[in-house]
Amino acid sequence: MAAVDSVPVEAPTLGLPGLARALISAGKLGQKSAEDISRKAAANRTSFIAELTGSGSVSAADLAHTMSASFGAPLLDLDAIDVQRLPKGLLDTKICQAFRVVVLSKRNNRLIVATADPSDQQAAEKIKFATQMGVDWIISEYDKLSKMVEANATTATEAMDSIIGDDFEFDESTMETPSADDDAATSEVEDAPVVKFLHKMLLDAFTMRASDLHFEPYESTYRVRFRIDGELREIASPPIAIKDKLASRIKVISKMDISEKRVPQDGKMKLKVGPDRVIDFRVSTLPTLFGEKIVIRILDPSSAKLGIDALGYEADEKKRLLDAVQRPYGMVLVTGPTGSGKTVSLYTCLNILNKPGINISTAEDPSEINMPGVNQVNVNDKAGLTFAAALKSFLRQDPDVIMVGEIRDLETADIAIKAAQTGHMVLSTLHTNDAPTTLTRMRNMGIAPFNIASSVILITAQRLARRLCPNCKAPADIPHETLLEAGFKEEDVDGTWTPYRPVGCSMCNNGYKGRVGIYQVMPISEDIQRIILADGNAPEIARQAELEGVRSLRQSGLSKVRMGVTSLEEVLGCTNVS
């Protein structure tokens, strides 16, 4: 071992970085040597650790072992790490380069980060601020760490250049040119940091498979949240000063009035992310106490073209649905709360029916998915173009298939039912808890039992449950009684299958990755028609449906638990016992 300067225990070390003090305390470096290296680092504008390892005073391997022992942190040889499997996008590459750190994984709300200097509080605070997550250090050799950081930075830079270059741009045709009266606002719109920040947020949301972005101003803070797999997650806390500039930038791109900040507005914008890939966004603004809250919904047309198998229907449910939508006439209803995937289910059915010999018309508020070959209409209540008015017009346009975004009132319901009774296939949605209550809801709207029984041919109720991450899910030890209370039958809990629980890794979001549909697909049989005609209630319809083999939403969810697709907690959280 190299000779170490003789230094009294009480020697002042307060002017030295934490790394130097730790090395002196461990007897690996003398006081004078540490001070010399510190002066050289300042003169050369490099870090203490770079000057230390470059001078040969302490080897990278010896430094790593000393830091691991001094700080009680695990030691990791980066040669054993597959660079391609490291998580992407969790930390800005500039921070990684500046502090020579590599993100290894994410566990819950904490990042596992490789470093050679665990005493660097500035690095820890910078990472916490940038990611809004805690930091757990893993010690690695400085030279190997530097090589990995540079390799990752090169890859990330090339990827970003390919996106932000010619292939990453807003569709200028969607932008509105501000008038001369809006000079004050337009001066904010092209603010370079704001433009870059917005681009980064949209790109991050797309790569993280978010469905919505929330820009939320408060009295002294500003936050950005993404809805990922149905859950809102805080992503960034930019300075409060950018709120007005960011709102103006978004409103110009979305063809809104940038001078109007007192009333809600709606708009759309497009983002080109490749030579042949364009993503649509639906934008909504809302005046709040401290500025305009903006929510951006990501509309990915490819989601409607995944096919019915990707939605999570069981084989018997899929057959019932396909048999219904391919009939020449009748009404198919999709029910569920907002955000349960009703629109994707409807467009998946439309995609199946969308053939050259079929005339399809849709009325929505607004149209979320653009589908060539389908005549799509946005309703506009202020202009008098209501769902009912659009439906009346459709019937004069020689339609084969009609899709109504939502049946909200008796007039719309009456026209839709008449269309279904006169030789048209009608698809629509309602907001009800399950399939049986949909029929009683229609009865309460004032629709005659005969019209319901003679027009509705199938009802699908649905929810979206988060999928367990296949990379990290683990067997769950759930008591026998708990499984029975959840709705499993005694014969189901036979020990031939294993429930799983979420764990969390760098490839998922707290143990979940993506979502899967849970469905109750109920055809309207002759027996159910008789109950409707007799003005029966929802429990009577539900009992008959169960006799005919229709699973409730809870039972459908429990089957996904048996298959290991989702967790029991997730199913209990998104379904009722029925």
Side-chain angles (χ1 to χ4, degrees):
M1 186 177 70
V4 178
D5 299 337
S6 176
V7 181
V9 176
E10 292 81 6
T13 59
L14 295 178
L16 294 172
L19 179 68
R21 296 199 298 270
L23 289 171
I24 293 171
S25 177
K28 295 291 182 181
L29 192 65
Q31 173 86 22
K32 186 176 183 304
S33 297
E35 291 173 351
D36 289 342
I37 293 171
S38 183
R39 279 193 293 270
K40 287 181 182 178
N44 297 333
R45 294 186 177 181
T46 59
S47 65
F48 179 88
I49 191 171
E51 199 68 40
L52 172 72
T53 53
S55 67
S57 300
V58 178
S59 69
D62 198 10
L63 174 64
H65 283 85
T66 303
M67 291 300 101
S68 177
S70 298
F71 289 87
L75 187 65
L76 175 69
D77 184 359
L78 289 181
D79 287 342
I81 297 295
D82 182 0
V83 180
Q84 300 302 320
R85 293 182 64 86
L86 289 175
K88 303 293 190 296
L90 290 177
L91 186 62
D92 194 298
T93 53
K94 291 182 180 178
I95 296 177
C96 294
Q97 285 181 295
F99 296 103
R100 285 298 190 258
V101 295
V102 171
V103 177
L104 300 174
S105 65
K106 181 174 81 71
R107 184 185 298 123
N108 297 325
N109 200 39
R110 300 189 69 82
L111 290 181
I112 312 301
V113 183
T115 183
D117 183 6
S119 69
D120 194 342
Q121 289 300 313
Q122 185 183 1
E125 292 301 321
K126 192 78 172 179
I127 295 170
K128 288 179 184 177
F129 180 79
T131 64
Q132 301 298 306
M133 287 186 273
V135 177
D136 291 329
W137 293 127
I138 299 288
I139 310 302
S140 297
E141 296 169 43
Y142 184 75
D143 53 352
K144 295 179 181 178
L145 198 58
S146 295
K147 289 179 182 178
M148 184 171 285
V149 167
E150 292 303 327
N152 283 349
T154 302
T155 304
T157 302
E158 291 171 352
M160 189 61 74
D161 286 344
S162 70
I163 294 170
I164 297 185
D166 295 335
D167 291 335
F168 183 86
E169 59 186 27
F170 287 103
D171 187 343
E172 300 293 336
S173 65
T174 66
M175 296 189 190
E176 183 172 294
T177 303
S179 64
D181 297 332
D182 294 328
D183 288 343
T186 55
S187 65
E188 300 178 341
V189 169
E190 300 303 328
D191 187 274
V194 171
V195 172
K196 290 180 180 178
F197 177 76
L198 177 59
H199 279 203
K200 185 180 187 309
M201 288 296 98
L202 293 174
L203 182 62
D204 285 352
F206 178 68
T207 55
M208 295 170 72
R209 298 175 292 104
S211 60
D212 301 87
L213 299 83
H214 292 240
F215 297 87
E216 302 169 315
Y218 297 97
E219 186 171 12
S220 57
T221 59
Y222 191 61
R223 71 176 177 182
V224 181
R225 293 192 292 173
F226 292 175
R227 188 174 293 279
I228 303 172
D229 294 337
E231 285 196 336
L232 278 173
R233 174 179 161 193
E234 187 166 337
I235 299 298
S237 297
I240 187 69
I242 77 165
K243 65 177 183 179
D244 292 329
K245 295 180 180 180
L246 187 61
S248 296
R249 173 67 177 170
I250 293 172
K251 287 160 77 173
V252 165
I253 298 167
S254 307
K255 299 182 70 174
M256 298 182 195
D257 183 355
I258 62 175
S259 64
E260 181 55 80
K261 301 179 181 180
R262 299 165 298 175
V263 297
Q265 296 187 66
D266 294 298
K268 277 188 173 184
M269 62 184 179
K270 294 178 181 289
L271 190 67
K272 185 178 180 183
V273 294
D276 55 359
R277 183 73 184 274
V278 176
I279 302 298
D280 290 323
F281 298 88
R282 191 181 75 201
V283 185
S284 172
T285 69
L286 179 70
T288 67
L289 286 177
F290 305 107
E292 289 180 285
K293 176 184 177 180
I294 299 174
V295 176
I296 301 178
R297 166 68 60 87
I298 300 177
L299 309 174
D300 190 358
S302 62
S303 61
K305 299 178 182 178
L306 294 174
I308 196 168
D309 293 321
L311 299 183
Y313 283 93
E314 302 292 332
D316 57 338
E317 296 170 343
K318 172 185 169 183
K319 184 178 186 304
R320 290 173 191 158
L321 180 61
L322 291 179
D323 288 346
V325 299
Q326 289 173 344
R327 287 170 63 172
Y329 58 87
M331 180 182 288
V332 173
L333 295 173
V334 180
T335 76
T338 301
S340 60
K342 299 188 298 295
T343 300
V344 171
S345 292
L346 284 175
Y347 268 94
T348 300
C349 293
L350 288 181
N351 196 43
I352 293 170
L353 298 173
N354 189 14
K355 299 173 183 175
I358 303 292
N359 179 20
I360 303 175
S361 295
T362 73
E364 299 165 85
D365 184 22
S367 296
E368 294 189 3
I369 298 173
N370 180 29
M371 183 171 287
V374 175
N375 306 291
Q376 297 171 276
V377 174
N378 279 337
V379 300
N380 186 340
D381 291 336
K382 291 181 180 179
L385 182 55
T386 61
F387 279 118
L391 268 174
K392 289 178 181 176
S393 180
F394 288 168
L395 294 175
R396 295 190 289 270
Q397 293 274 319
D398 185 31
D400 296 299
V401 178
I402 295 171
M403 195 268 272
V404 186
E406 182 184 346
I407 294 178
R408 297 176 178 172
D409 51 52
L410 179 58
E411 184 183 11
T412 305
D414 275 338
I415 300 170
I417 283 173
K418 288 173 183 174
Q421 291 172 335
T422 54
H424 307 93
M425 171 54 62
V426 179
L427 308 176
S428 190
T429 71
L430 273 173
H431 289 282
T432 57
N433 290 329
D434 59 14
T437 56
T438 303
L439 296 168
T440 53
R441 166 74 193 282
M442 296 178 74
R443 185 72 187 91
N444 292 336
M445 289 174 66
I447 304 170
F450 171 77
N451 284 332
I452 298 174
S454 62
S455 59
V456 180
I457 58 176
L458 180 134
I459 301 172
T460 295
Q462 65 182 67
R463 300 289 189 276
L464 285 178
R466 292 178 294 171
R467 285 181 184 269
L468 284 168
C469 173
N471 186 58
C472 67
K473 67 179 182 181
D477 185 14
I478 302 176
H480 182 87
E481 295 76 15
T482 303
L483 293 173
L484 294 178
E485 288 174 6
F488 283 106
K489 297 177 181 177
E490 190 68 47
E491 58 268 25
D492 294 332
V493 191
D494 53 9
T496 60
W497 58 277
T498 303
Y500 287 87
R501 61 178 175 85
V503 176
C505 67
S506 61
M507 302 175 68
C508 66
N509 182 31
N510 296 330
Y512 296 97
K513 185 176 183 180
R515 290 193 285 178
V516 63
I518 295 175
Y519 303 95
Q520 180 185 29
V521 183
M522 187 179 80
I524 307 303
S525 64
E526 291 183 0
D527 289 329
I528 292 178
Q529 284 179 335
R530 278 193 284 271
I531 296 174
I532 296 170
L533 291 171
D535 219 5
N537 56 33
E540 292 173 337
I541 296 170
R543 281 193 293 270
Q544 180 59 39
E546 187 175 3
L547 291 174
E548 296 173 5
V550 175
R551 286 186 293 272
S552 68
L553 283 167
R554 171 61 64 85
Q555 292 166 345
S556 180
L558 294 178
S559 71
K560 296 288 194 298
V561 174
R562 289 192 61 172
M563 291 185 288
V565 175
T566 189
S567 66
L568 182 61
E569 303 95 311
E570 185 70 8
V571 169
L572 296 179
C574 65
T575 64
N576 294 323
V577 177
S578 54

